[in-house]
Amino acid sequence: MWLMLPFFQSFCSPMATYLEFIQQNEERDGVRFSWNVWPSSRLEATRMVVPLACLLTPLKERLDLPPVQYEAVLCSRPTCKAVLNPLCQVDYRAKLWACNFCFQRNQFPPAYAGISELNQPAELMPQFSTIEYIVQRGPQTPLIFLYVVDTCLEEDDLQALKESLQMSLSLLPADALVGLITFGRMVQVHELSCEGISKSYVFRGTKDLTAKQIQDMLGLSRPAVPIQQGRPLQPQEQPAVSSRFLQPVHKIDMNLTDLLGELQRDPWPVTQGKRPLRSTGVALSIAVGLLEGTFPNTGARIMLFTGGPPTQGPGMVVGDELKTPIRSWHDIEKDNARFMKKATKHYETLANRTAANGHCIDIYACALDQTGLLEMKCCANLTGGHMVMGDSFNTSLFKQTFQRVFNKGLNGEFRMAFGASLEVKTSRELKIAGAIGPCISLNAKGPCVSENEIGIGGTSQWKICSLDPSTTLAIYFEVVNQHNAPIPQGGRGAVQFVTQYQHSSMQKRIRVTTIARNWADAQSQLQHIEAAFDQEAAAVLMARLGVYRAESEEGPDVLRWLDRQLIRLCQKFGQYNKDDPNSFRLSESFSLYPQFMFHLRRSPFLQVFNNSPDESSYYRHHFARQDLTQSLIMIQPILYAYSFYGPPEPVLLDSSSILPDRILLMDTFFQIVIYLGETIAQWQKAGYQDMPEYENFKHLLQAPLDDAQEILQTRFPMPRYINTEHGGSQARFLLSKVNPSQTHNNLYAWGQESGAPILTDDVSLQVFMDHLKKLAVSSAS
Amino acid sequence: QGPPPTSVSQGLPLAQPPFSGQPISTQRLPTQVPGFAPPPSSTGIGPSSYPPTTGAPRPSPMQGPPLPGQTVAGPPTSQPNHVSSPPPPSIMSGPHPGPPPMSGLHGPPPPTHPPQPGYQMQQNGEYSQYKGCKSDIQVIEDDRSNRGSEPFVTGVRGQVPPLVTTNFLVKDQGNASPRYIRCTSYNIPCTSDMAKQSQVPLAAVIKPLATLPPEETLPYLVDHGESGPVRCNRCKAYMCPFMQFIEGGRRFQCCFCSCVTEVPPHYFQHLDHTGKRVDFYDRPELSLGSYEFLATVDYCKNNKFPSPPAFVFMIDVSYNAVKSGLVRLICEELKSLLDYLPREDDMEESAIRVGFVTYNKVLHFYNVKSSLAQPQMMVVSDVADMFVPLLDGFLVNVNESRTVIASLLDQIPEMFADTRETETVFAPVIQAGLEALKAAECAGKLFIFHTSLPIAEAPGKLKNRDDKKLINTDKEKTLFQPQTSFYNNLAKDCVAQGCCVDLFLFPNQYLDVATLGVVTYQTGGSIYKYAYFQVRALWSQDRFLNDLRRDVQKEVGFDAVMRVRTSTGIRATDFFGAFYMSNTTDVEMAGLDCDKTITVEFKHDDKLSEDSGALLQCALLYTSCAGQRRLRIHNLSLNCCTQLADLYRNCETDTLINYLAKYAYRGVLNSPVKTVRDTLINQCAQILACYRKNCASPSSAGQLILPECMKLLPVYLNCVLKSDVLQPGPEVTTDDRAYIRQLVTSMDVAETNVFFYPRLLPLVTDVDSDSLPAAIRNSEERLSKGDIYLLENGLNIFVWVGVNVQQGLIQNLFGVSSFSQISNALSTLPVLENPFSKKVRSIVDMLQVQRSRYMKLIIVKQEDKLEMLFKHFLVEDKSLSGGASYVDFLCHMHKEIRQLLS
């Protein structure tokens, strides 16, 4: 019962304590709930507007959490199988424990014979609400990296890519298996184990093949060996077969380095006015088929490097005539993108197969024009793969981002894990509505699965083929407790997250996180619920939902839905007098939420104007997997100001923040923008920073650069780094993000020394808020 | 003037020798023939019709007294048709008492005598009565001695050339050399009625790119610049010696269609007083029978000059091929062979590019670009939808990529040394080659080395459908037909691209030559077949390597189209050979080499006139091995006749047999073999009956009278009838028959001659003589137990050793001390330093050089089991498979003729 104590403390304590509680929980369990006190009935829960949901970072890096070397104890009820956790009631004398989800009484296994109140196993201790087990069973297969390389590149681009790939060999785990597929007009699967002659299997780029056909053609199916009389088949044959294409990196890194070095541009001629014929669809299909046949259900990355759109075969996105441009949002709205549906279907099929095999697909697309990410996005989205978009392989953006894929964490382990399955168990008042993130459904129906789906629903288990310590899923719940069956005072709901995955060290591991929150009656204890609202989590959770809907619905519909939700939330939790906008107040725990929504509405996740379909897909891809902090940056970029008047400080993301004697640093997650104010820029041009007496100016110029470097060092994918100044063309990156509080429309601001006017018709936050208040207090709605 | 006709008469025949003192052939035969069963013996033959089995008056040819000279003799009253014909015909005579017929037909040296006649007589006394059957040996020898010494000058219209077996030089004076064109008859009936009556097929056997002996000059290459060759406006015939210039040389009248065409200004030349152009002797196309034009771009595919052709070597690397050592052997050989690709005489190196593919169930392409450090292998497993995986680097210049190619050829045997793949594909291999040539936009040749029935799952997959039970049924023809039409379509595509396919087969069992050969056949390629190939067995290695070398090096033209134009009145109606035809006139060949022959049959569609004669112009448009587009023109002028006797006097039996064999071999595709044989017999009977009726003097029906030119027709026809295709023995496989059927279809006259009637040479002769020993007849009774003989038929050489051969000879030839120690596994004769050994080996070498394929040498010891095989080639004897002996067949023919006459 002592676990209850901090709970109750926080419950009754001021807001600051709630923030601490949320932070503690996030650090310990990687979980942030929209509501930290739960409304106790279905009806009340729906009236809360923001659903009961959480952001879960299953593999949150925990240096203080050494995995335990034994196996988890499971509830014996076949439909439950919850893992023994600190919330379970234990009868030490009888060596029994009661499952806190199904109340089944279970015997401890024989190994636990010695337990007592003083001698508890770790999983019963409250600080181990998150615990990780190492599973000793099962064969260990090395990680697999299959490079799928486009050769229809410009010479210097290809050279840069080749160098990056060669470099990456040294970053791989030594025992990892690598393979190489190259493609252009045709697709070549390279055999890596041959001396004296380099072998490859070549496929037509226009013909889709089934997995069976691919395996037959690669000779991966059991070879029809002429049975020699009296001689048994040699047992080592099977590994030898697949190893032709996938070899331990330490064995063939020289070979592969040479092979990569000798890679030539696709030799087939490209005539004037044509795009090169690029068989991305078939190349991916072969990569998927190859792994499917050789290493199903083992951690494997298919890494696709492409420098342009697929132009032939299944999965083609655009024809090879340059005069027909690749589809735009306009074309899509006009139903004018003739290849889109078919291509999307092709890649979806591939993505689903890949996910079923537990492999993942990374897409590294570097080109000035679109490369078909819109159609291919599901490959990365469904399998947890990376998606990286750049202008050229010969940029540091690509080079460093790619290098960062193989980064190691603080504990010296690769920041990648594979083939994870996440299972969620809930206590009986709760049901699971769905998840949004880089996962697919495992279709595990059960008593705790809700009929109302939010995101990927209808299941209590999801597969995440590839994940890293920051991969974050949004999981949505539904309170199912009926209004007329009140939960006793102090009752708690519990949720258990069981994540099984393949660690980069090849171990199978299981991480179990069990959390509990108090129920509260929304009618009598609304203030408790209100106080325990996590507006940041709620904003991200709502945003994910909005972005998820935007993938399938019309943009304006999503915006209207978001607006309606916001208005309803304000109506529910705002304090106001009917029809008096000026009386409207929101409590502190809700105060930032409308602003988040304002910026979300303007964000590239929901606005496609000025973005290509590829860019939208790229932004949405990252938004659906980053943790809360990064997601918030994406929704509402951070703006820092550097000036002589004080230390660097965060300032409002507002046009009024743009002042002549300031340097601004904006982080939008995808871009880092350093903007020199008008005066600063003039000083810099005059060269003051080089004069010894103006060393402080030099420092001022340097400070944002240093800070930017810090962000650049850690972020994945590496952001676009933009250094600009007042009046610079690149300043548009900043101007498009800030709240247009001053525009050419509100002329009164002209000439004032506060900030810069933005040439836009977008409404400012002020207008937005005014409007929101009006609607919220309106008795008509 | 041709040799006189001969007659064969019953009773004591007397051949009246012709005026010129040349021998005439007569022969007597029994009037009642007891069928085809055993050779008639004295007991089985009616006494009335048969002469005594021994004693002087034998029913065999005999030498008659020479007739007086032609002017003296005059036309005999019995042969009115001879009266009118300008060259006085020879005269046949009825029974005529005279000396024993043994030596009758053959002029002064009794040719049918074996070298040791006395000995033979003793040995085969009871058969000796048939020795008088017309012998080809004598005819050949006669021709050789009569015509071999002087060059054959082609200036005169309708000249019958010397026989193919005669060595002679040709001087081109306006007609194509017989090495290029031979005709069944050099005197064509003027009307179709006459032609029908005689039943003599009118055909020309054309070998457009024939190799000439070094003493003869190659056709000159004429370059008419951008305007191209001068042609008739209407029929498009090319300028030739027979075109008539008129109006002072400003126009010319076409010798084929009589249309008058303006002479282009740049071609104008004045005429001399005889109406000849002044530049007559300066222009090959005006003075020679054969010459070449340089083609302009209008004659090229897609109006683009062709690129140099390419050779693609495609090697089966399945288990059998690797195990037998074949793969290693090919790779080793190619390393040196690639330096001998065909090239134009004036070029430093060959322009031909090469590429390499290996295959089993899948195909492996190789990138051997010169810039690569090591070759790259590209596997294409998608055999259902073949494509070429690389663009440059597949077809390369040998010199530039020498090291990479060498490295590749070293590695191929190693890479597949442990293969366990037994299945192969076939059609995709051809498709791959075709696609490669398409991608390179050039013509070329595929050399496919293949070992087994392609049963792997792929287009063109075949099943084993060999069924010997079908022989002699109505379904026998299916054994010669391809299993599937897939290959016909493929062949069509290949021809369109100029992709010629040469096929080297190394079967251990049935692999369906009839189907696999379709593409080869229709693209003008060659098939070579080596059953039970083992590198360890030297004979197979030698034979294959020699064939391969010759095949790679020989002169070849690509993307060829041949058209034969004729004078108005006759028309080319039918074509035999290895090619494809998309319409009724153009013979298309993806590749045409110097050994390939096309037989063309002509039919009347109007009347011809004796004055103008008949002209043939064979125009072959092709791409040379250097990629030059050329037209080779062969012209031949023939006489026309209104008298059948003229026709019969100017026929050539060898050519006739060439035509008949090809006709029959094509017939087996559609009709039961029995029908084909009967048709053949019937046609020949009609030819001979027509002669008998119209040209020979009236005599008793019991007398068989043959035209002089056709005196060998029965013996050769018999050989065709009992050949493996038309009457297979039990040991002949279905594949062999299909193989031979296709082989014969492209043979020239010399090849069919020796193929159907093999050459049998006694080896124990005068060692010092340089020339070949005189051949003897192909009959067992001619063989002496104490002698060694050599028999060759263009495919095999047998060395037959009698049981009683002197030990010294055996020692000299085989290097062993006794008959029993001679190994019949020998594939070459041991190199021994003695005159006899040298002589025999030089004979063998000489024969090998003469043939387009390297012959397999087989040592046969008398009374050994291999002798059965050898006896199969003694074609005058009754064969095991039921083929008639010469005498029996002659009887049968005679009966047929008499039936027709009565």
Side-chain angles (χ1 to χ4, degrees), chain B residues 133-144:
Chain B
C133 297
K134 190 60 216 172
S135 152
D136 84 313
I137 306 300
Q138 188 53 46
V139 174
I140 289 170
E141 287 297 324
D142 290 349
D143 193 73
R144 209 171 261 167

Side-chain angles (χ1 to χ4, degrees), chain A residues 186 188 191 194-204 206-207 209 216-219 224-226 228 231 233-234 237 259 262 264 267-269, chain B residues 319 361-362 366 369 372-392 407-408 411 415 420-423 439:
Chain A
M186 306 197 169
Q188 276 176 276
E191 205 171 296
C194 26
E195 293 292 332
I197 189 163
S198 57
K199 283 189 210 174
S200 56
Y201 284 66
V202 188
F203 295 82
R204 219 187 248 277
T206 49
K207 190 175 167 188
L209 300 164
D216 284 349
M217 289 180 182
L218 290 174
V225 181
Q228 307 219 333
R231 241 182 67 187
L233 290 177
Q234 274 139 18
E237 213 150 44
L259 188 60
E262 278 184 12
Q264 297 294 314
W268 302 89
Chain B
Y319 180 80
K361 232 164 68 174
V362 300
Y366 296 94
K369 202 151 88 174
L372 292 176
Q374 58 183 32
Q376 288 175 354
M377 171 181 179
M378 295 176 155
V379 185
V380 173
S381 327
D382 190 1
V383 287
D385 196 3
M386 198 27 77
F387 64 99
V388 179
L390 71 172
L391 189 63
D392 53 343
S407 157
L408 171 68
Q411 287 187 58
M415 278 192 292
R420 300 169 88 176
E421 186 57 69
T422 53
E423 294 187 354

Side-chain angles (χ1 to χ4, degrees), chain B residues 749-768:
Chain B
V749 179
E751 283 171 320
T752 44
N753 174 271
V754 75
F755 178 76
F756 288 111
Y757 194 96
R759 195 144 45 147
L760 181 59
L761 306 172
L763 291 179
V764 187
T765 49
D766 182 13
V767 169
D768 300 327

Side-chain angles (χ1 to χ4, degrees), chain B residues 467-498:
Chain B
D467 187 358
K468 283 215 167 175
K469 287 201 285 293
L470 296 182
I471 292 175
N472 289 325
T473 68
D474 282 355
K475 283 185 172 169
E476 184 172 0
K477 60 188 179 195
T478 58
L479 295 177
F480 296 108
Q481 292 165 345
Q483 275 189 39
T484 140
S485 64
F486 181 86
Y487 287 94
N488 294 72
N489 297 330
L490 183 55
K492 200 168 151 186
D493 295 344
C494 286
V495 171
Q497 180 58 35

Side-chain angles (χ1 to χ4, degrees), chain A residues 38-55:
Chain A
W38 297 342
S40 57
S41 76
R42 171 196 289 263
L43 189 66
E44 287 163 3
T46 52
R47 284 181 183 159
M48 298 294 134
V49 183
V50 173
L52 174 55
C54 73
L55 287 165

